[in-house]
Amino acid sequence: MIICTFLAIIFVILLGCFVKLSEKDVVDKYRWMETDQTLTTNWLLSESERSEKILDTLPFKSSIEKRVSSLSNLQPIIWGITYVRDNCFYFMQTPEFSYNRVFVKNQAGDETLLIDPPVGYGVDFFSPSSDGKYLAYGISDNESGISSIKIINLQNGEALHDIIPQLRYPSVGWARDNVSFFYTKQTQSKTDTLKLNNEIYFHHLGKSIGDDLLIFGEENIPSTNFDTTKTLSFTLSSNWLVVAVSPWVTGYSSDLYLSSYDAVSKSAPRWVKIIDASQNVSQYIVKDNWLYLARYNEFSGYTVSRLKLGTVVDLEEKIFEWKCGELTQFDISNDALYIAYHESGAHKFVHIPFSDIHNIKNITIPIDSEVTALFSSADRKDILFTLQSWIKPPKIFIYDPDSQIIKDSNIINSNVYSFSKYESEQKWVTSKDGVHVPLTIIHQKGIKLNGNSPTWLTTYGAYGDSQFAYFDPYRLIWLERGGIIAIAHVRGGGELGPAWHEGGKGANKENSIIDFIKCAQYLIDNNYTNSSKLVISGRSAGGIVIGMAITERPDLFAAAAIDVGMLNMSRLDKIPIGFANFKKFGSPLNQPKDLLKIDAYLNLQDGVKYPSIILAVGLKDEKVSPWQTAKFAARIKEINIKTEKMTLVIADRDEGHNLNNFFNTLNFFILNTTTNQ
């Protein structure tokens, strides 16, 4: 065992890797980039200008751009479907209008544009009143995260004077009278002037927003923390209002509070805490006098139950449960509960009638497809759902529970894309500790595994978010060139349930990195590709994995791409979302050693030949400060300048955390897999 360990260390050294840093080894020579914002911004823009000139000279850029454009023009993107009576509301983006616009289609199929935001603004959400008379929507300066709630009269198209401005990520729920609504808002704490609290207010149309009533917050329940590390959501039924208080970065466990609707409507809510966060409730639905709950269980699956709401809360009634898999959809129609979930890698979709709650009815869907969205209404029996796979474009289907017939809604035409030449497969890769990690691989049918295919491996692995099957038409560009797409479902995500998330969280975050490297090695060992053809990418928290993968195994990859990455984790407390992430990754104050192990910037070492890299950043990013990218880019450029490896930076003045750098990344990866022979 000692000899094996010694040989492993020698092997790593020979590959140009390094022994991990101790705290006393830390040298942060670009710390100034955190505080001198003007100089950092100018440096990023200068580097971006240089990088764009390099990318502009690529001989294949024009043809790739044309292919991207041709795929963009094939069909509109429709989502957020909401039915109110016979009217169907939805978001739509088209090639001509590549931003959110709100439409409504009536029973006759006539489509009307309702909201077309001005240039530089976006529609964040919409909510029609249940009588179909009014529509509330949120509009914001792109990437700001600050919305204003506005109202239009759907009968005459006129905008009301009711405007509630400057709200951070608000939500809206209409009251029973359809002339008033509840909304979430951040306000200054009355007990701590340095703190903002999340609260819920009640607004009546035509009244001043200064008269809006506080329904839920610090004044109602003063002993509870409702600050910005938490998020509020709420659901109304005919008799009740239920409020969930969840951690901002993940909703895995929520506190649920209950008040009768009558008490709330009289501005005298009496809040009772009915579910504690320790009970692991992640999703809930209130329907009439019943509260339906989904909580993660000790089997890394979920237990679905319900309880009767009344003057005395009854004991929960268990409905069903499963092991080892994530809950993906949880919604209701007027007569049933619908659930889509994964169990040990298999996708399932069920219908549970309220009249016979223990009658779990499986809805048959193609084995290679998944339900990725549900659209239902409390006043309709039938539902809509989106079905897609890695190689099958999304289609929206109608399900009739009475006949159990599924038919195409014809809302979108997915036949414009052809992935018939390609297939997907799932492999299980054994990680360092014997855990089996799912690896999705997409490639041409009948591909010859000669170890020479350009392969693009991606990952995320954070917050319990799962990378389940989704169709991306732009993958065609890489596949058409003989490439392979791979997705590593590393620990930290939620693909195999809550325990999978816990396995890559906090002190366990290194597991995400180990899993990813093992998946990369699997692709090489099984002759899909080789290290001169293997490129990797990740964004935001996925940047932790990609950044650390190239510091630990620089020999393994031809190139890497990181968008808006978290790359200097030892300084987590200095970015806007830092404090809310302490439970996910560790605190610089209490767990500095844990953070140092996943700090890609501080783990870069002189004399190491790192792969070429492209880093992208939005200068309006209000989640991960741009200096995280700037520091990493400056340091790796300093090292790579002594080799033939490239360091490119793309900085966009007008974008934030949702920056899309796909086109540049695609060109960069083609360059690095065609020249590395």
Side-chain angles (χ1 to χ4, degrees):
M1 180 67 184
I2 294 174
I3 293 174
C4 291
T5 303
F6 175 75
L7 290 174
I9 293 172
I10 293 298
F11 177 69
V12 169
I13 293 173
L14 289 173
L15 289 172
C17 299
F18 61 93
V19 178
K20 290 187 178 178
L21 290 172
S22 65
E23 291 176 83
K24 64 182 180 181
D25 294 324
V26 172
V27 177
D28 189 353
K29 64 189 299 183
Y30 292 102
R31 177 72 63 86
W32 60 267
M33 285 184 159
E34 298 180 24
T35 54
D36 196 332
Q37 184 175 345
T38 300
L39 197 58
T40 302
T41 297
N42 290 339
W43 185 87
L44 285 166
L45 290 171
S46 175
E47 285 296 307
S48 184
E49 184 178 1
R50 177 187 68 84
S51 300
E52 288 170 4
K53 287 179 180 178
I54 293 172
L55 293 170
D56 285 342
T57 65
L58 298 179
F60 48 79
K61 181 184 176 185
S62 177
S63 63
I64 297 299
E65 188 171 21
K66 288 179 181 177
R67 187 64 176 123
V68 169
S69 179
S70 69
L71 290 169
S72 300
N73 291 329
L74 289 179
Q75 72 171 34
I77 301 171
I78 295 174
W79 74 101
I81 298 172
T82 303
Y83 271 99
V84 172
R85 299 185 177 179
D86 292 323
N87 292 321
C88 180
F89 298 82
Y90 48 89
F91 278 125
M92 181 162 66
Q93 291 185 9
T94 64
E96 185 180 1
F97 301 97
S98 57
Y99 54 88
N100 289 350
R101 297 194 297 165
V102 182
F103 290 80
V104 64
K105 185 177 287 188
N106 62 23
Q107 191 174 19
D110 299 324
E111 185 178 70
T112 303
L113 173 62
L114 296 176
I115 309 295
D116 187 3
V119 175
Y121 286 79
V123 183
D124 303 316
F125 65 88
F126 66 85
S127 177
S129 59
S130 61
D131 62 357
K133 184 175 181 180
Y134 297 105
L135 182 82
Y137 65 97
I139 188 166
S140 64
D141 182 359
N142 283 342
E143 296 290 346
S144 70
I146 306 297
S147 297
S148 295
I149 298 175
K150 296 187 176 184
I151 314 292
I152 60 169
N153 186 321
L154 293 172
Q155 296 178 338
N156 56 27
E158 293 182 358
L160 277 63
H161 295 297
D162 303 71
I163 299 176
I164 305 175
Q166 298 296 299
L167 303 176
R168 183 177 293 275
Y169 306 115
S171 57
V172 166
W174 286 90
R176 287 189 313 212
D177 61 12
N178 290 307
V179 291
S180 52
F181 58 83
F182 303 91
Y183 65 93
T184 57
K185 179 181 179 180
Q186 287 185 0
T187 61
Q188 190 73 51
S189 170
K190 292 181 172 59
T191 59
D192 184 347
T193 57
L194 298 177
K195 188 172 75 172
L196 292 174
N197 277 334
N198 287 308
E199 297 176 331
I200 299 175
Y201 281 79
F202 180 74
H203 176 77
H204 195 284
L205 296 182
K207 291 190 176 181
S208 167
I209 61 172
D211 296 329
D212 289 355
L213 298 169
L214 173 65
I215 299 300
F216 183 91
E218 185 181 35
E219 291 184 12
N220 305 95
I221 314 173
S223 61
T224 305
N225 184 5
F226 297 131
D227 66 22
T228 51
T229 65
K230 301 292 181 71
T231 182
L232 298 185
S233 61
F234 58 89
T235 302
L236 299 120
S237 74
S238 55
N239 299 319
W240 307 97
L241 178 61
V242 177
V243 176
V245 182
S246 310
W248 180 58
V249 294
T250 179
Y252 260 119
S253 55
S254 302
D255 294 308
L256 296 187
Y257 294 83
L258 175 74
S259 178
S260 71
Y261 185 94
D262 289 339
V264 171
S265 64
K266 295 175 183 177
S267 304
R270 295 185 293 274
W271 295 107
V272 177
K273 188 176 184 180
I274 55 173
I275 297 291
D276 187 80
S278 63
Q279 295 175 267
N280 301 329
V281 169
S282 64
Q283 294 196 46
Y284 72 99
I285 298 169
V286 58
K287 167 70 171 172
D288 299 326
N289 289 319
W290 289 97
L291 180 66
Y292 295 86
L293 303 168
R295 68 175 82 237
Y296 61 92
N297 57 38
E298 67 271 27
F299 310 113
S300 194
Y302 285 78
T303 299
V304 178
S305 61
R306 69 174 182 175
L307 58 82
K308 188 77 174 287
L309 301 177
T311 54
V312 178
V313 177
D314 293 338
L315 294 175
E316 284 185 49
E317 179 184 4
K318 180 179 172 181
I319 299 173
F320 82 116
E321 67 181 8
W322 65 91
K323 299 179 181 180
C324 194
E326 187 62 287
L327 168 67
T328 57
Q329 306 294 328
F330 190 61
D331 213 336
I332 58 170
S333 65
N334 73 337
D335 70 341
L337 178 67
Y338 289 86
I339 301 173
Y341 63 98
H342 283 253
E343 184 172 22
S344 300
H347 179 71
K348 299 183 179 181
F349 186 31
V350 298
H351 159 237
I352 307 172
F354 295 137
S355 59
D356 187 5
I357 202 65
H358 297 289
N359 183 10
I360 316 299
K361 298 182 177 181
N362 288 308
I363 301 174
T364 302
I365 58 174
I367 194 169
D368 60 346
S369 298
E370 296 188 15
V371 176
T372 55
L374 273 178
F375 311 107
S376 61
S377 171
D379 58 3
R380 296 172 67 97
K381 265 191 176 184
D382 57 340
I383 65 162
L384 298 177
F385 65 90
T386 300
L387 201 62
Q388 63 182 307
S389 75
W390 298 108
I391 55 173
K392 288 184 178 180
K395 273 191 176 183
I396 300 176
F397 292 90
I398 300 173
Y399 175 70
D400 181 350
D402 292 334
S403 65
Q404 299 184 38
I405 292 175
I406 297 174
K407 61 181 180 180
D408 191 343
S409 69
N410 296 314
I411 292 176
I412 56 176
N413 175 22
S414 60
N415 295 324
V416 294
Y417 299 113
S418 177
F419 270 61
S420 59
K421 297 179 181 179
Y422 308 100
E423 62 185 351
S424 65
E425 54 181 336
Q426 181 175 288
K427 301 295 185 180
W428 294 89
V429 178
T430 304
S431 195
K432 182 179 178 180
D433 53 0
V435 169
H436 294 101
V437 180
L439 174 65
T440 298
I441 308 174
I442 308 167
H443 53 72
Q444 288 182 357
K445 292 179 179 177
I447 190 173
K448 293 182 180 179
L449 300 181
N450 57 13
N452 204 39
S453 297
T455 300
W456 185 341
L457 175 64
T458 68
T459 197
Y460 186 66
Y463 305 119
D465 288 349
S466 301
Q467 292 183 291
F468 290 127
Y470 70 95
F471 178 84
D472 183 349
Y474 299 109
R475 292 193 186 109
L476 266 174
I477 304 170
W478 186 261
L479 294 169
E480 288 167 348
R481 299 176 68 91
I484 294 172
I485 300 285
I487 302 97
H489 307 279
V490 303
R491 279 173 283 184
E495 285 88 342
L496 296 178
W500 200 247
H501 171 218
E502 295 295 325
K505 170 186 168 187
N508 295 322
K509 186 59 188 172
E510 277 190 294
N511 286 334
S512 305
I513 302 156
I514 295 167
D515 292 350
F516 182 78
I517 292 173
K518 288 290 185 179
C519 287
Q521 190 68 60
Y522 178 93
L523 292 167
I524 294 172
D525 292 345
N526 288 273
N527 294 319
Y528 288 92
T529 191
N530 63 73
S531 60
S532 71
K533 299 284 189 178
L534 179 58
V535 295
I536 58 175
S537 70
R539 60 176 293 115
S540 191
I544 300 171
V545 179
I546 302 302
M548 286 304 302
I550 64 174
T551 63
E552 294 196 6
R553 288 297 307 273
D555 61 297
L556 205 56
F557 313 108
I562 301 174
D563 295 349
V564 296
M566 298 173 72
L567 295 164
N568 187 192
M569 295 299 288
S570 297
R571 305 290 287 170
L572 183 61
D573 56 324
K574 304 302 180 184
I575 66 174
I577 63 171
F579 181 71
N581 274 283
F582 284 1
K583 289 184 178 180
K584 296 297 168 189
F585 304 112
S587 165
L589 304 176
N590 301 321
Q591 295 100 16
K593 291 182 180 179
D594 290 339
L595 289 174
L596 187 58
K597 292 176 184 177
I598 60 171
D599 191 315
Y601 165 69
L602 290 178
N603 277 289
L604 291 170
Q605 295 289 301
D606 290 322
V608 177
K609 188 177 180 179
Y610 293 110
S612 296
I613 188 166
I614 184 169
L615 299 125
V617 62
L619 297 180
K620 287 187 176 180
D621 195 332
E622 289 196 343
K623 292 183 178 179
V624 179
S625 303
W627 55 257
Q628 288 255 328
T629 292
K631 289 173 70 174
F632 186 89
R635 180 75 176 105
I636 200 169
K637 180 187 177 185
E638 173 190 8
I639 300 168
N640 273 355
I641 204 167
K642 300 172 185 176
T643 71
E644 77 279 9
K645 299 298 183 179
M646 303 172 67
T647 302
L648 300 188
V649 177
I650 300 297
D652 194 310
R653 289 181 181 273
D654 301 316
E655 293 292 333
H657 200 65
N658 292 327
L659 170 78
N660 184 345
N661 194 47
F662 170 79
F663 180 63
N664 289 322
T665 298
L666 177 63
N667 282 289
F668 184 72
F669 281 174
I670 293 173
L671 171 67
N672 280 277
T673 53
T674 54
T675 58
N676 292 334
Q677 301 295 335

